[in-house]
Amino acid sequence: MGRFIVNRILISVPVLIGVALILFLLLNVVPGDPVTVMMGEHIKPNLIEVFRERMRLDDPVLVRFARYIAGALRGDFGISYKLNREVGGLIAQSFPHTIKLSVYAALVAWLIGIPAGLFSAVKSNTLIDRAFMGFSLLGVSLPVFWAGLLMQYLFAYKLRWLPVNGYYSLKYFIMPAIVLGWGSAGTVARLTRSNLLEIMKNDFIRTARAKGLKESAVVTGHALKNAMLPVVTIMAMQVASLLGGAVMTESIFGIPGLGLIAVRAISMRDMPLLQGTILFSTALVIAGNLIADLLYGFLDPRIRVE
Amino acid sequence: MNKKITVLIAVVVIAAALWVMNNQRNSATTTETAPVPETSAETPADTTTTESGEGSGGIAANVAAGYENILRLATWDEPNQNDPQKTTEYYSINFQIFDRLVEAVTAGPARSELVPGLAESWEVTDDGLTYTFNLRKGVKFHNGAEFTAKDVKYTFERMLWPETEAKNQDFIDPIKGSTEVMEGTAKELSGVEIVDDYTIKVTLKEPFAPFIASLATPSVSILNMEATEAAGADFGLVPEKTIGTGAYIFDKWVLRDELLVRRNDNYWRGAPELDGISWKVVQDADTMRLMFESGEIDVFDTAVAVSQIEYFANNPKYAGNLAIGDIADTNYYSFNQRIKPFDDVRVRKALQMAVDRQGMLDALFGGRGTLSYGIIARGIIGHNPDLPAIPYDPEAAKALLAEAGYPDGFEMTVTQIANQADTLAKNELFQSMMSEIGVKVTIDQMDSAAWYAVRADGDLPSYATYWAADYNDPDNFIYTFFAPGNTVRRSFNFNNEELSKRVVAARAITVPQERIKEYQALEKAIIQDEAAWIPLFQRQHIFVVNNRVEGFKVSWNGWSDGWYYYEGLRIKP
């Protein structure tokens, strides 16, 4: 088990370097000089030179890449062109907001998704089932930015129950968490339902019923536990999609997380910041998948890695 | 696998999540809290947040616990830093926390007036070369240090040192010795002489009439030598290290969230009436509107979302809440004379006549604005209201094109920065207007980095943009665009040598009437005879101000942010 984890972590290093390299090359191929963007209208040409020299932008791409990797290994991701602050610090500052949003969204997804899936499976093909599944389909299909605006309009502007945007207390996170978690809730509900229905056809369920267990005990004690395996994996892997969705959600609800700085970095051609945020997100996705694998083995001894 | 383990995992996950959140809130309160006035001790930040539900007071109250009398603004794009020398666009904070030697105050709609600031008075020698400034005595910086002549000298020199990487050097490079300092061969400006603590003498390379006006721009805000040097790279980034003499003190900056300035009780002009001003960073126009309508911000700046203008302007509910002012700008389409057929003046004139300015203004801005036929905007010294109108006449345009050898029109490209919906709407209108005379327009969207880079090389095809005044002088318009190097950097490649020479020479004319005459003549020659660009119109800036705020004025140049220190601006009790 320990070796498996170490291996997985070692494999992720070349993946990260590869991502960094592709990104580096891409940013060098696209036209446009970040320095010009930063400098604005009245800049004197000699200052552009001073800046290029300070940032050592005139070295060959590979030299700069090697320098970047060497720095990154020491934890130095450079200084944002646009915000004039250390990229590492910026990420450290914004990440907690993103984590917070993602955790709330995940809670929404599980607390809504699992019970909904359960009810739908037990009452399959009834009105309740249809309603739940329709609701989850809606969640999967609604774009985050649209759902976000609708909710803001209804709950913040019309009903005045919730603040329009911000991140100062739990109340501020209600709408963003629902908006972001709804889609995942839909996925979780559908997955729970189909797995549960599948499991319920098994012999051991018939045995459980035959020995006189109550239906509720059969469902929660025997069926649900088995049905949850793939759901748990999906939930860990949803970290990636939650992070992706967080980009939009953060801009709509003004939560100063990773997504906001990434969007800004892209539009400003802020290379150090962009590289930093993308590398960091890549690492998160790798970690999410690793946790999913480990959880799977932990929950199901049959497939535990030797 | 048993139930206990599942429960255990769930508990651990939830506990970890709560711990992360809690930790983060604690660290937020310790690192982000700058000095707050005593009153806030009675209202801990946490209670404010939990109570703040009912519309007004919510967000600002949280970050600005303890301030009631604050003006709550929203900004689309927060400053990248607040060092006035290093920005060309973010002046919101700089205006408030610094003073200038001279201030341009709003005297009326689109009318500015220069008033003494940190310089009490000044004398200019007859040859227009030497300015002697008598500085105000007893002015204190926010750190308690007294303002003296050495701070002025330091401010000018720092702006020119290459290692500062300052951006608006144009404003003070007329000073003698600036070239040496900019090239790094000298540390001190030979043209600046400290006579005594309160007198400073500035000598220019050659007469430059708008010198005083250009000193009133926020870029030339006066810095404190010791504090700025001590702050180093933190200057402009860390509020308590960003020190000026201004009416407000830079209090707090939570990245991508909110900026806050608080009242300077020892301000030499007298403490402002407001307790402070906050800028909430909101990067979504619809969200911003909802925040305004639910009372979380006091002013909605329609410049961030042209699409919202009609909603507010035609809503009887807001009829009494609009603050409207001219923007001292000129909107135009550029021609790149390096690209055929724009080297032909007949083609340029034809396109000038093919644009329906009024139609464009109506469609894009609900007709709010004035049509332009030149360069110098209304409200700027030297604006010429008698410039002949350029008619909208597609037939005449077609005839002129035929005469130039393009009876069937030609193909051209208009470039723009991607994802700018307002510009795209304008370009599509332009496209359809040009098709009337057989000119086929392709709209090419580029990202901003590429757009600026290609433009700086002089290779960018036509584009639509505008220029709003930095300081009130025609020089700020004519020289910026049509001085030899500048016209290449803007991809105009205007190549009339005689006119270019006159543009440079005009800077040295000192007799006001003669200057104005020359600038108006240049404007007519460049825009109407040479047709160097297609002038369109001058816009208006509309702010929607909620009932809490009294006396809000649009600044003379129509910028989103001005100097929020003027008579009558207050929050209703």
Side-chain angles (χ1 to χ4, degrees), chain B residues 323-340:
Chain B
I324 303 177
D326 273 359
I327 301 176
D329 75 351
T330 299
N331 294 254
Y332 61 91
Y333 270 95
S334 74
F335 291 126
N336 190 338
Q337 299 192 18
R338 250 188 221 167
I339 296 172
K340 277 189 183 293

Side-chain angles (χ1 to χ4, degrees), chain A residues 21-31:
Chain A
L21 182 65
I22 292 172
L23 201 61
F24 214 89
L25 293 177
L26 276 181
L27 288 176
N28 273 286
V29 173
V30 284

Side-chain angles (χ1 to χ4, degrees), chain B residues 200-252:
Chain B
I200 193 162
K201 213 183 239 179
V202 178
T203 312
L204 306 186
K205 292 180 210 165
E206 51 187 36
F208 177 54
F211 185 59
I212 291 290
S214 71
L215 290 182
T217 64
S219 317
V220 201
S221 293
I222 301 299
L223 314 179
N224 177 248
M225 183 164 111
E226 284 81 16
T228 311
E229 282 298 291
D234 286 343
F235 188 73
L237 294 179
V238 179
E240 53 278 18
K241 291 187 183 174
T242 310
I243 301 285
T245 53
Y248 299 90
I249 299 172
F250 194 9
D251 194 17
K252 195 183 286 186

Side-chain angles (χ1 to χ4, degrees), chain B residues 22-90:
Chain B
N22 236 11
N23 235 26
Q24 187 229 325
R25 167 172 302 175
N26 289 345
S27 71
T29 36
T30 46
T31 55
E32 292 166 356
T33 309
V36 225
E38 288 90 329
T39 47
S40 71
E42 296 149 16
T43 25
D46 275 359
T47 46
T48 338
T49 36
T50 42
E51 285 166 6
S52 64
E54 309 302 321
S56 73
I59 286 170
N62 173 63
V63 175
Y67 302 89
E68 279 177 14
N69 191 19
I70 80 167
L71 180 64
R72 300 165 309 165
L73 306 172
T75 174
W76 176 264
D77 190 14
E78 78 188 309
N80 51 356
Q81 40 71 34
N82 290 296
D83 180 337
Q85 302 189 339
K86 293 188 189 169
T87 182
T88 55
E89 47 198 324
Y90 305 109

Side-chain angles (χ1 to χ4, degrees), chain A residues 39-74:
Chain A
M39 289 302 184
E41 298 280 0
H42 292 276
I43 191 71
K44 307 266 169 187
N46 68 317
L47 277 179
I48 296 184
E49 287 316 305
V50 171
F51 181 82
R52 296 192 69 90
E53 211 163 285
R54 178 162 70 80
M55 292 291 177
R56 297 204 273 175
L57 284 174
D58 291 324
D59 292 344
V61 179
L62 286 179
V63 173
R64 279 187 287 138
F65 180 68
R67 194 163 49 227
Y68 180 75
I69 292 296
L73 289 176
R74 287 195 313 271

Side-chain angles (χ1 to χ4, degrees), chain A residues 30-34 36-47 50-51 54 81-85 90 93-94 96-97 99-100 103-104 107 110 149 152-153 156-157 160-172 220-221 225 251-257 260-261 263-264 267-269 295 298-301, chain B residues 1-2 5 9 13-14 17 20-21 24-25 49-55 58-59 62-63 77-81 88-90 162-163 165-171 173 182-183 237 253-258 280 282-284 286-287 290-291 293-294 296 311 317 447-450 452-453 455-456 467 470 476 480 489-490:
Chain A
V30 284
D33 180 6
T36 330
V37 183
M38 297 176 50
M39 289 302 184
E41 298 280 0
H42 292 276
I43 191 71
K44 307 266 169 187
N46 68 317
L47 277 179
V50 171
F51 181 82
R54 178 162 70 80
Y81 290 167
K82 184 73 182 170
L83 296 171
N84 302 297
R85 294 166 201 243
L90 286 171
Q93 238 177 42
S94 3
H97 299 301
I99 268 282
K100 200 167 167 181
V103 167
Y104 285 138
L107 285 180
W110 301 340
L149 276 179
Q152 280 178 328
Y153 182 76
Y157 175 56
R160 309 239 161 167
W161 290 348
L162 293 167
V164 179
N165 80 348
Y167 61 99
Y168 310 105
S169 68
L170 188 62
K171 193 165 71 174
Y172 289 84
T220 54
K225 219 154 58 180
S251 358
I252 296 165
F253 291 98
I255 299 165
L260 265 191
I261 55 173
V263 167
R264 218 183 136 120
S267 64
M268 293 298 171
R269 191 65 63 80
L295 264 184
F298 181 70
L299 294 179
D300 188 352
Chain B
M1 165 84 202
N2 59 40
I5 293 184
I9 295 175
V13 168
I14 292 172
V20 166
M21 288 164 206
Q24 187 229 325
R25 167 172 302 175
T49 36
T50 42
E51 285 166 6
S52 64
E54 309 302 321
I59 286 170
N62 173 63
V63 175
D77 190 14
E78 78 188 309
N80 51 356
Q81 40 71 34
T88 55
E89 47 198 324
Y90 305 109
E163 63 268 25
E165 294 174 13
K167 294 185 179 167
N168 278 325
Q169 297 172 325
D170 283 1
F171 298 140
D173 77 357
M182 279 193 280
E183 282 168 0
L237 294 179
W253 183 2
V254 185
L255 265 185
R256 294 175 306 287
D257 177 26
E258 189 160 37
K280 176 92 185 130
V282 185
Q283 297 203 310
D284 185 283
D286 296 296
T287 306
L290 284 172
M291 288 177 73
E293 293 196 280
S294 55
E296 292 180 24
Y311 171 80
K317 192 173 148 200
D447 77 49
S448 64
Y452 279 109
R455 188 173 81 151
W467 176 260
D470 290 306
N476 188 228
T480 308
R489 268 190 277 157
R490 291 203 149 67

